[in-house]
Amino acid sequence: MIDRDIVLSCLLYRREYQLEKNIKIYDSTLRDGAQAEGISFSVEDKIKIVKALDELGVSYIEAGNPGSNPKDLEFFERIKSIELNNTKLTAFGSTRRRNIKVQDDANVKSLLLANSPVVAIFGKSWDFHVTDIINTTLEENLNMIKDTLAFFKEKGKEVVYDAEHFFDGYKANPEYAMKTLKTAIDGGADSLVLCDTNGGCMPNEIYEITKLVVDKYKTEVGIHCHNDCGMAVANSVMAVFAGAKQVQGTYIGFGERCGNANLSTVIGNLQVKNDYECINEENLELITDIARKVAEIANVSLDDKEPYVGRAAFTHKGGMHIDGVNKASKSFEHINPEIVGNERRFLMSEVAGRSTILKKIQKVAPDVKKDSPETIQIMDRLKELEHEGYQFEGAESTFELIIRKNLGKYKPFFKLENFKTIGEKPNDNGELTAFAMVKVKVDDKIKMAAAEGDGPVNALDKALRQALEVFYPELKKVHLTDYKVRVLDTKEATAAKVRVLISSTDGKHEWSTVGVSTDIINASLIALIDSIEVKLLRELTKKIKAYI
Ligand SMILES: [Zn+2]
């Protein structure tokens, strides 16, 4: 008979162990990430990224400061009506300015406009920054920290304190750096985030200094690393080993200069390799898809060699490697790619992992099995399209149409017989105007329409919907919310291809479609036509369901 006390203490130990292994992921793609060269998010982009990261299950999303620009203000206004299931939205700002009352500081007040449950406040930890950069006294800096945190605690906020340049500050003047943390605790900080703002620290330093803080204070400690030495992920992991419970970074690593800690890699390293829990276990297989989605929305190429989530992360080329992996995957893979939703690829034989794609197919056709001829046919078609430059992360609706077309479950709602665009020349006000004419056929009926737009694609979109609205009035509510063009790298000497990604909405739902061509108008048309088809398909499905 097992002793009851032993069982109880085992259970208690397990609970404590699990609590200890819980790590909060704090994503700053929309704030620190937006400071990267070449990155600019529209309000739509920001909302899409919030939804994607919420689905993944990160604990916090830092989304900017409503007072800093009208775009952020609009974002915080619009996000209020969107229900988030896993994540807490965070507004970000600095401690009050020197020598004024906290309640008189416009920047501090503007943070309240965000109406977010959490605010992150950054303050100075490095004495040199206090005296030489913001030109105040060491004492006033402490007051600035305390006043600002206390202000937000009084407003009922959860307060994350970002100790800017903490590690450099600690190395220069440990006593003062620690004093800033103590002051933050006195001000009511819920967590103390130690920042390697300049990204110049080594993993051993991060471990030692983080451990000192963890041992000294009871308040939760977090880590925020930049990648200037290529150490941001390693440093973040070391901080967790030293007892940090919160990891800040950006989801695919972009940020100021060399970027931030790449959270998709951090999650892989902590959760898959070290048994920590950063997100729900069942969401681990989403990390690849979400990485590709974030890249697509941000309009950057995700590095093929990105650990865990890159296209080449589990790609084998050498004959011996392929042979080895076929015998036992662990021979040349550190983990099974399916754990993180990635797939194994063999470059020589082009045998892609079927199960990842099968899952997507089954969302449309649940009865299809792994070895069904339909699966093989769809996989072949997808491979062909990917080879042409298609990417379906961020364009699930096009993916759905391809599957339906291949399953014979699809009849187009219309045919574009002909189109023409003219006059892509700026008018006197410098606005780009263009005209488009289209001829569409629905059953046996022909309809022509013409429209003007601020660019050929906009004109085409208008003309197309104008012609089709006669047959399908439900299209009146549809409009484009986003349009992105990416020039694809091509090894051939011929003209480069472009990939166009468009998002559409009918006010209730939003969907995205993709088109690839050597011609930008043609690529846009493919995506536009698919977008309209998706809407009509949804309406038809709704009608059928109502009829049944
Ligand atoms: Zn930063």
Side-chain angles (χ1 to χ4, degrees):
M1 204 176 125
I2 305 167
D3 191 311
R4 204 174 135 261
D5 289 346
I6 295 178
V7 174
L8 266 179
S9 62
C10 279
L11 285 173
L12 270 175
Y13 172 77
R14 232 181 87 192
R15 200 174 149 262
E16 297 235 319
Y17 175 78
Q18 273 167 345
L19 275 179
E20 230 175 74
K21 286 275 192 177
N22 259 335
I23 300 296
K24 294 175 184 163
I25 296 293
Y26 182 112
D27 186 284
S28 186
T29 301
L30 300 180
R31 204 275 304 167
D32 234 356
Q35 286 173 221
E37 186 177 352
I39 298 285
S40 163
F41 293 123
S42 66
V43 175
E44 288 298 329
D45 293 337
K46 285 189 153 204
I47 290 172
K48 280 188 206 161
I49 288 181
V50 168
K51 284 183 182 166
L53 293 172
D54 179 50
E55 186 194 350
L56 180 71
V58 304
S59 301
Y60 302 92
I61 295 176
E62 187 174 83
N65 179 347
S68 67
N69 62 63
K71 220 161 62 174
D72 277 10
L73 184 61
E74 188 193 337
F75 164 81
F76 279 108
E77 274 302 315
R78 284 186 48 194
I79 201 76
K80 280 176 198 162
S81 59
I82 294 168
E83 200 182 321
L84 300 175
N85 297 316
N86 301 303
T87 200
K88 288 192 243 180
L89 211 63
T90 306
F92 174 86
S94 84
T95 52
R96 70 159 169 83
R97 278 173 298 141
R98 64 194 155 102
N99 307 329
I100 60 168
K101 287 203 179 98
V102 65
Q103 58 270 27
D104 295 337
D105 188 301
N107 211 35
V108 166
K109 280 194 289 187
S110 74
L111 278 179
L112 293 172
L113 295 173
N115 226 348
S116 57
V118 187
V119 291
I121 299 297
F122 74 93
K124 299 286 179 193
S125 335
W126 188 357
D127 56 358
F128 148 75
H129 257 268
V130 176
T131 51
D132 288 45
I133 306 292
I134 61 167
N135 301 322
T136 189
T137 63
L138 297 180
E139 195 52 39
E140 172 63 357
N141 179 52
L142 296 178
N143 293 334
M144 285 154 65
I145 295 170
K146 194 169 173 183
D147 293 353
T148 315
L149 300 195
F151 175 83
F152 286 107
K153 278 318 286 180
E154 202 176 288
K155 303 281 178 198
K157 304 285 179 189
E158 177 180 339
V159 177
V160 174
Y161 177 65
D162 279 2
E164 199 190 27
H165 293 109
F166 181 76
F167 295 93
D168 292 326
Y170 186 89
K171 286 190 263 179
N173 183 346
E175 199 191 320
Y176 184 71
M178 290 304 261
K179 212 184 236 176
T180 62
L181 293 185
K182 173 76 174 64
T183 309
I185 295 169
D186 294 344
D190 293 288
S191 54
L192 306 169
V193 179
L194 314 180
C195 305
D196 183 19
T197 309
N198 293 0
C201 290
M202 293 293 121
N204 59 320
E205 296 170 322
I206 298 279
Y207 179 88
E208 282 157 21
I209 298 173
T210 305
K211 190 147 186 4
L212 278 167
V213 176
V214 169
D215 289 345
K216 186 159 176 139
Y217 300 121
K218 283 199 174 68
T219 310
E220 180 182 295
V221 170
I223 183 76
H224 177 117
C225 293
H226 278 263
N227 200 33
D228 299 70
C229 298
M231 291 290 181
V233 168
N235 285 346
S236 306
V237 170
M238 288 307 278
V240 169
F241 290 170
K245 293 276 175 260
Q246 181 196 125
V247 181
Q248 299 196 346
T250 59
Y251 193 61
I252 52 173
F254 55 71
E256 196 119 36
R257 304 184 310 276
C258 306
N260 290 59
N262 182 321
L263 291 177
S264 61
T265 317
V266 168
I267 294 171
N269 287 341
L270 289 178
Q271 191 149 344
V272 182
K273 310 302 291 259
N274 285 292
D275 208 21
Y276 286 91
E277 181 153 335
C278 305
I279 53 174
N280 268 342
E281 195 64 23
E282 61 265 30
N283 287 355
L284 252 189
E285 60 177 26
L286 295 177
I287 72 170
T288 299
D289 256 14
I290 303 278
R292 292 175 189 177
K293 202 181 251 180
V294 169
E296 203 58 46
I297 298 167
N299 212 9
V300 297
S301 316
L302 185 71
D303 187 356
D304 278 354
K305 302 206 177 310
E306 203 72 73
Y308 299 99
V309 301
R311 261 171 65 79
F314 301 95
T315 296
H316 308 279
K317 192 171 178 188
M320 257 182 59
H321 285 216
I322 291 174
D323 184 52
V325 170
N326 273 328
K327 284 178 182 149
S329 64
K330 71 174 181 185
S331 60
F332 290 99
E333 284 174 354
H334 70 119
I335 57 162
N336 185 340
E338 284 176 23
I339 295 174
V340 290
N342 207 338
E343 62 184 21
R344 178 174 304 131
R345 287 161 66 231
F346 295 132
L347 286 183
M348 286 168 83
S349 57
E350 284 289 343
V351 186
R354 208 177 285 176
S355 60
T356 323
I357 293 178
L358 182 68
K359 273 187 200 145
K360 293 185 181 178
I361 297 175
Q362 283 171 336
K363 277 190 193 161
V364 182
D367 300 338
V368 171
K369 298 279 174 310
K370 192 170 181 174
D371 298 313
S372 324
E374 294 98 324
T375 308
I376 296 163
Q377 194 194 335
I378 292 170
M379 299 265 299
D380 287 345
R381 180 69 190 133
L382 289 176
K383 263 185 243 167
E384 246 171 65
L385 288 169
E386 276 183 4
H387 188 70
E388 283 173 30
Y390 275 82
Q391 228 181 54
F392 302 103
E393 290 83 16
E396 283 80 4
S397 295
T398 296
F399 191 82
E400 183 185 331
L401 286 181
I402 291 164
I403 292 170
R404 284 181 186 278
K405 281 175 192 166
N406 276 271
L407 292 173
K409 283 190 166 183
Y410 187 71
K411 184 178 156 280
F413 289 87
F414 67 96
K415 186 166 182 264
L416 177 63
E417 293 272 294
N418 211 339
F419 76 91
K420 192 166 183 57
T421 57
I422 40 170
E424 298 152 25
K425 177 179 161 296
N427 64 14
D428 292 345
N429 301 325
E431 293 154 345
L432 195 67
T433 55
F435 302 92
M437 282 174 287
V438 300
K439 184 175 168 187
V440 296
K441 190 174 171 187
V442 176
D443 298 326
D444 295 332
K445 297 187 193 80
I446 295 280
K447 174 81 188 157
M448 285 175 69
E452 185 184 4
D454 53 4
V457 176
N458 183 240
L460 262 176
D461 172 47
K462 283 186 181 167
L464 202 53
R465 276 184 299 111
Q466 207 173 299
L468 288 169
E469 272 166 22
V470 179
F471 306 100
Y472 305 111
E474 56 268 43
L475 291 177
K476 283 198 177 102
K477 286 187 198 143
V478 178
H479 63 95
L480 300 191
T481 53
D482 200 12
Y483 174 81
K484 280 204 174 81
V485 181
R486 171 91 59 82
V487 178
L488 302 174
D489 303 328
T490 171
K491 288 183 187 72
E492 289 114 57
T494 50
K497 280 187 177 171
V498 290
R499 180 166 66 230
V500 167
L501 188 76
I502 66 172
S503 304
S504 314
T505 181
D506 55 11
K508 260 193 183 159
H509 301 104
E510 195 172 307
W511 61 98
S512 301
T513 48
V514 61
V516 174
S517 170
T518 48
D519 177 68
I520 186 168
I521 302 281
N522 208 23
S524 309
L525 256 181
I526 295 170
L528 273 177
I529 290 173
D530 271 5
S531 158
I532 294 172
E533 293 277 349
V534 167
K535 167 68 181 166
L536 295 174
L537 185 69
R538 295 237 166 106
E539 289 294 322
L540 184 69
T541 320
K542 239 191 327 192
K543 276 180 205 156
I544 293 172
K545 273 191 189 148
Y547 186 75
I548 294 168

